[in-house]
Amino acid sequence: MSDPNVIVVLCDQLRAFEVGCYGNSTIRTPHIDRLAAEGVRFDLAISNNPVCMPARSALLTGQYSRTCMGYLSNYTDGGDLPEYPAQSRDWLRDTTLAEAFKARGYDTALFGKWHVQPEPRLVGFDHATYPRVHHRHTGQTFVENTGRGEVVDGFSVDYEAERVDQYLAQEHNRPFFMFYNISPPHMPLDDAPEKYKTMYAPDEVPLRPNTQIDGELPWDERWFKVYLWDFLFYQEQLPHTEQLPDGFDLRHLTALYYGLTTWVDDTLGRLMANLARRGLADDTLVVFASDHGDNLGSHHQFNKGLLIEESIRIPLVFWGGLQPQANTSQVAQLIDIMPTVLDFAGADIPDSVQGRNLSPILRGECDALAANGAFVETHAGAIGLRTPTHLYGMQLEADRRTISDEGQCFYDLIADPYEQHNLAGEGSTIEGDLAARLTKWNAQTPWLAC
């Protein structure tokens, strides 16, 4: 394809283990599975920082969060604040994905969750329709390019899909780049169509073996309420007398997560059907990914943000004019998306990009690139290196610059895929090599001066 349309579809908090084409035989994700069957699926795809704002900022710049933000966590939950999103470009100072496509002559559009600073038009988007509050699926306030926005009826996912439909129906005299964000399966899991909330029976969903410790599954009343109600619970101060449904446990939580994942899949299917109906499918590259995973009770942890497989493993599929393949060799990462799609579209890759161009793999020229692996940073100060076979991690001191003498982890993910046996300190040659690589990366990767 010459100057193809490019659509990056990013859902929120979907870990790879809960997608059919990644081996889950219970969940129903036929549209993601179809993209994977017809495109290039990376079996080992990693979020470089498993929390929303740093991950999204990394994708949009092709840079680690320390470089594009100078910060390792969500800076603000947003909400109905007049100063959100920021009008000054303190972060994302280098060329963004949208700006690189604009330089190539593309129209650029954002639909759905933003959760990035500054506001979209300052970083290259010609058009932006996005929710002001991040974590609610009904009663949502949507901003059209700028302003305070207006509350829309119905589910926000459906409203965003309709706005995408309208954009695709327009006459396009130039190719377009679309950044399409679908908020589920991020909580609130209870704020969804009944169809999806009741789609999976709790006693039928599989649980990962590391959800059990000494034979016990995790139970946490506060976290369960956050998963169910999120924004309404912790920001709108939902009465703490609100009770969990009778018998609610991890299986009920997981069943809801599965349902909202299928909601994502149906929404992706709607996009693909519209591309076909508008005659755009043959001229469009679609990338499907998630910003990070979800711990969902593994190691008795919830939410995300940890240096564990459940937080960092994500789906990543490229579709459109590609020879189908399931790549099991290359560790792909969020910051690789920008250079890869730019090269695919014939656009220049900015020198500021720290990610790798995966196009040789998409073209079938090789199975893996040199120095295979993904570096990860977390808001808790853990940094890590994920290779095709191992995960090595270190802890940073409070200054976020100095490596601590404590807190190392080292897992053989072939022998121990659920990370139940920390091998750090046993003197493995592999551990030493990974420690040296991670130490060098930490020393050489620049921080944005805030």
Side-chain angles (χ1 to χ4, degrees), residues 377-400:
E377 37 195 356
T378 72
H379 70 92
I383 58 173
L385 172 56
R386 176 58 158 93
T387 73
T389 56
H390 292 79
L391 175 68
Y392 179 80
M394 297 172 167
Q395 188 69 36
L396 298 178
E397 298 285 4
D399 64 4
R400 293 296 186 261

Side-chain angles (χ1 to χ4, degrees), residues 124 134 288 291 322 375:
H134 304 128
F288 177 81
D291 54 356
L322 300 170
F375 293 101

